[in-house]
Amino acid sequence: MNDFKIQPYTKKELALFYFPTADPHVAVNRLMSWVNRCKPLHKALLDQGYQKTSKWLSPREVKLITDHLGEP
C-alpha cells in the first residue's frame, strides 16, 4: 500500500489498515491476536515498553509490527 507510512497510530487506526472492512473493535482484536501469536513480535514489542493497555503505538512499535506481519 503506497500511502502507508511509519508514524504513531492508535491501535484502532493501524488495525483498520489491516482490516478495513471490519468493525473497529473487531479489527483491533484481530490485529492483537496476530501480534500475540507471533512470539518474536510480541517479545520485541514488550522489550520496547509496549503495554497491553496502550492506546497508541509508537513509530518504532509500528515498524516492528509491519516488519513481522508485512505492511497492510
Side-chain angles (χ1 to χ4, degrees):
M1 193 168 183
N2 292 338
D3 58 345
F4 182 79
K5 9 186 248 192
I6 301 297
Q7 64 182 36
Y9 289 105
T10 64
K11 285 182 185 175
K12 179 171 95 172
E13 289 170 332
L14 185 60
L16 286 172
F17 272 111
Y18 281 96
F19 306 100
T21 61
D23 177 73
H25 182 74
V26 171
V28 170
N29 286 346
R30 285 182 186 165
L31 177 61
M32 297 320 297
S33 175
W34 284 10
V35 167
N36 291 328
R37 282 189 303 210
C38 181
K39 297 302 179 195
L41 170 56
H42 191 249
K43 182 182 179 333
L45 286 171
L46 292 175
D47 291 346
Q48 289 296 318
Y50 169 79
Q51 295 180 5
K52 182 180 177 178
T53 58
S54 300
K55 299 276 186 214
W56 283 88
L57 298 166
S58 71
R60 187 173 289 167
E61 291 167 334
V62 171
K63 176 91 171 94
L64 284 170
I65 291 169
T66 58
D67 285 350
H68 284 83
L69 301 179
E71 282 194 11

